[in-house]
């Protein structure tokens, strides 16, 4: 058997939040800190994997032992991820990828002018990288495990879990790591930027969800264990 859970496996991990430019000094961004992605990279490295970390903006430093690509936008993240995925056993999409980008990027700084109406930002959709990874795997007949993340909020009609199950089916990845975001009972944000996390790991093959809670590293270790079980079983 393998001495370590991911010994010799090549793992691509995306992390952080993309920034979509509006002009040379402004962007649309999101609250992702990159902490969960970095914890996954550390956990996979500790499990013996070769790790390629493709990261957009993060509040934390990437681990030294990972190979790294730094990107800004969703389109850059997509190009780097699709190219790295070609040789990967596992791809984990932990990055917060902007669903939309400004349709045009102004070459000069957008100015306020009293003689012109205030600007309106038009957005266009970014490609869904996770969906593309699943399509590439099928087209190239790769044996590869693809893991998505989902930050869900429940509402009056459905809880976060049922939205997550629908997302897992729609995206076609093997595992979906789900956390419920938004204000908790105390009104404080539950996940973004925080040190702890609480997730459910859903499997497309119908295996029961695995719950994990604790530090982002403990959650990462749980995700790595589920991944290693899947690789062992195929
Ligand atoms: O649809 P939603 O953004 O909630 O899905 C989250 C998952 O999809 C994450 O794994 C994220 O990295 C991935 N994603 C992506 N490309 C996008 C948007 C999200 O790969 N354009």
């Amino acid at each position: 058997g393998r001495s370590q859970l991911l010994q010799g496996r090549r793992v691509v991990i995306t992390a952080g939040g993309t920034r979509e430019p509006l002009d040379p000094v402004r962007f649309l961004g999101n609250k992702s800190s990159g902490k969960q992605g970095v914890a996954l990279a550390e956990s996979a490295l500790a499990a013996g994997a070769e790790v390629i970390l493709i990261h957009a903006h993060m509040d934390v430093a990437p681990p030294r032992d990972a190979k790294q690509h730094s990107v800004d936008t969703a389109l850059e993240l997509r190009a780097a991820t699709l190219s790295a995925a070609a040789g990967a056993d596992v791809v984990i999409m932990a990055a917060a990828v902007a669903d939309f980008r400004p349709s045009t990027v102004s070459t000069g700084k957008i100015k306020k002018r009293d003689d012109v109406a205030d600007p309106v930002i038009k957005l266009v959709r970014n490609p869904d990288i996770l969906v593309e990874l699943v399509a590439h795997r099928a087209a190239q007949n790769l044996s590869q495990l693809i893991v998505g993340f989902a930050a869900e909020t429940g509402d009056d009609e459905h809880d976060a879990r049922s939205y997550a199950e629908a997302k897992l089916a729609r995206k076609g990845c093997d595992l979906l790591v789900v956390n419920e975001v938004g204000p908790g009972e105390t009104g404080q944000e539950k996940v973004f930027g925080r040190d702890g996390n609480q997730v459910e790991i859903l499997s497309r093959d119908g295996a029961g969800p695995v719950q994990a809670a604790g530090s982002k590293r403990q959650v990462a270790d749980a995700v790595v264990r589920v991944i290693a079980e899947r690789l062992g079983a195929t």
Side-chain angles (χ1 to χ4, degrees):
R2 294 168 183 277
S3 53
Q4 287 181 292
L5 284 176
L6 295 180
Q7 185 75 45
R9 302 291 194 178
R10 209 182 254 203
V11 180
V12 171
I13 300 171
T14 68
T18 66
R19 290 179 161 185
E20 310 298 320
L22 278 160
D23 72 12
V25 297
R26 302 190 181 96
F27 56 82
L28 298 180
N30 61 64
K31 288 187 181 178
S32 173
S33 65
K35 284 179 183 170
Q36 187 62 70
V38 164
L40 280 160
E42 286 168 346
S43 181
L45 285 165
E50 181 194 326
V51 174
I52 301 176
L53 182 66
I54 299 168
H55 63 88
H57 175 80
M58 303 199 295
D59 297 336
V60 290
R64 288 201 185 157
D65 293 338
K67 277 195 199 160
Q68 290 166 43
H69 292 283
S70 170
V71 299
D72 288 314
T73 66
L75 292 179
E76 289 167 9
L77 185 78
R78 172 208 207 187
T81 305
L82 292 179
S83 129
D89 300 300
V90 181
V91 183
I92 307 176
M93 284 295 307
V97 184
D99 290 323
F100 302 98
R101 67 180 181 277
S103 61
T104 58
V105 181
S106 171
T107 51
K109 188 178 169 205
I110 299 168
K111 294 184 169 58
K112 2 175 227 269
R113 288 174 50 171
D114 290 334
D115 55 337
V116 177
D118 290 346
V120 173
I121 300 170
K122 181 166 188 272
L123 301 176
V124 291
R125 243 182 218 240
N126 277 324
D128 190 312
I129 303 164
L130 188 52
V131 167
E132 290 188 342
L133 284 165
V134 170
H136 278 227
R137 172 178 67 179
Q140 287 156 37
N141 206 15
L142 302 176
S143 155
Q144 182 177 77
L145 197 78
I146 301 176
V147 183
F149 269 71
E152 295 292 340
T153 50
D155 57 30
D156 292 345
E157 284 168 69
H158 300 284
D159 57 14
R161 161 85 77 85
S162 62
Y163 281 114
E165 278 167 354
K167 182 167 291 183
L168 176 61
R170 197 167 65 237
K171 299 229 178 195
C173 53
D174 304 293
L175 300 172
L176 191 69
V177 183
V178 184
N179 43 41
E180 204 173 330
V181 297
E185 277 162 26
T186 61
Q188 299 263 46
E189 164 59 42
K190 285 188 282 200
V191 176
F192 287 115
R194 302 194 71 88
D195 291 326
N197 203 354
Q198 185 174 351
V199 304
E200 279 192 329
I201 306 165
L202 306 185
S203 295
R204 195 161 52 95
D205 72 359
V210 172
Q211 324 265 347
S215 67
K216 287 186 173 175
R217 177 59 192 268
Q218 286 171 316
V219 166
D221 288 344
V223 172
V224 162
R225 277 195 299 276
V226 174
I227 289 171
E229 272 168 31
R230 286 320 194 77
L231 292 174
T234 49

